[in-house]
């Protein structure tokens, strides 16, 4: 309902303590909550699901729709700076400690460098960690991994062919 139809693959963990519990019965054309990772393989988007839960209370669906609307508004409006009374865009003063710590879009310098390099990659499979490290050599391997983890968890990037290749969600 809030996006295009995607195929979902659920892989159960036989070694899990909950493995003996049967997966709930899910009827076709019913609402479910899917927790997983979006994958793009050969141009086909799919979800590798960790958990599929039927929705029993439709208030959860209403809440989801409101979250989608809020997220859309946040991401489409966040790059626009409010205008001051005189018509000039507001900016942080140069002496502000916050100005150096966070970039204009809320990312640290390392996160912005990593994000820019990922966005610049034209390949369908995205950019690999090794290539990314070469492009942003000023960022340590540890900081690079932290930036990738942050950007992924915030929905700015996603993994493609494996856990070491990433592509921007901005297209």
């Amino acid at each position: 309902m809030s996006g295009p139809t995607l195929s979902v693959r659920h892989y159960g963990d036989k070694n899990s303590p909950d493995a003996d519990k049967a997966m709930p019965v899910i009827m076709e054309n019913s609402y479910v909550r899917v927790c997983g990772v979006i994958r793009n393989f050969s141009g086909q988007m799919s979800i590798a699901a960790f958990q599929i839960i039927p929705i029993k209370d439709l208030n959860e669906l209403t809440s989801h729709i409101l979250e989608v609307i809020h997220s859309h508004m946040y991401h489409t409006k966040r790059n626009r700076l409010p205008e001051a009374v005189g018509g000039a865009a507001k900016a942080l003063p140069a002496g502000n400690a916050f100005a150096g710590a966070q970039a204009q879009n809320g990312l640290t310098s390392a996160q912005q460098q990593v994000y820019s390099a990922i966005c610049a990659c034209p390949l369908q499979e995205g950019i690999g960690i090794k290539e990314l490290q070469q492009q942003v050599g000023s960022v340590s391997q540890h900081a690079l991994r932290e930036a990738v983890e942050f950007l992924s968890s915030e929905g700015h990037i996603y993994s493609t062919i494996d856990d070491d290749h990433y592509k921007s969600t901005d297209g």
Side-chain angles (χ1 to χ4, degrees):
M1 171 151 185
S2 62
T5 303
L6 295 174
S7 64
V8 176
R9 298 194 189 277
H10 181 260
Y11 302 100
D13 184 5
K14 295 178 183 176
N15 298 328
S16 170
D18 299 331
D20 56 337
K21 293 181 183 176
M23 189 170 139
V25 176
I26 300 171
M27 303 293 293
E28 190 172 337
N29 293 324
S30 62
Y31 291 109
V32 295
R33 181 178 346 129
V34 178
C35 300
V37 178
I38 297 175
R39 299 283 185 200
N40 183 355
F41 185 72
S42 300
Q44 291 290 88
M45 299 287 282
S46 65
I47 299 175
F50 307 126
Q51 188 177 32
I52 302 174
I53 304 166
I55 293 178
K56 296 179 178 147
D57 183 3
L58 289 181
N59 286 326
E60 189 173 341
L61 178 63
T62 303
S63 176
H64 169 71
I65 291 169
L66 290 172
E67 287 174 350
V68 169
I69 292 169
H70 178 266
S71 178
H72 171 73
M73 291 180 70
Y74 173 78
H75 289 290
T76 56
K77 308 263 187 215
R78 75 175 183 180
N79 290 333
R80 298 180 191 164
L81 291 175
E83 292 194 12
V85 177
K90 293 180 183 177
L92 292 172
N96 189 338
F98 183 74
Q102 296 286 338
Q104 196 174 36
N105 59 4
L107 301 177
T108 65
S109 175
Q111 292 166 349
Q112 184 61 48
Q113 288 178 20
V114 170
Y115 181 67
S116 296
I118 292 172
C119 287
C121 179
L123 302 175
Q124 184 176 354
E125 66 270 10
I127 187 169
I129 290 291
K130 290 179 183 175
E131 294 84 13
L132 196 55
Q133 181 66 50
Q134 291 172 351
Q135 287 190 16
V136 290
S138 62
V139 178
S140 70
Q141 181 74 16
H142 179 70
L144 174 80
R145 289 283 183 182
E146 282 184 345
V148 165
E149 182 63 33
F150 173 81
L151 293 168
S152 179
S153 68
E154 290 294 314
H156 296 293
I157 62 173
Y158 61 95
S159 60
T160 57
I161 58 174
D162 58 25
D163 289 337
D164 285 339
H165 283 79
Y166 293 90
K167 192 144 181 78
S168 168
T169 55
D170 291 337

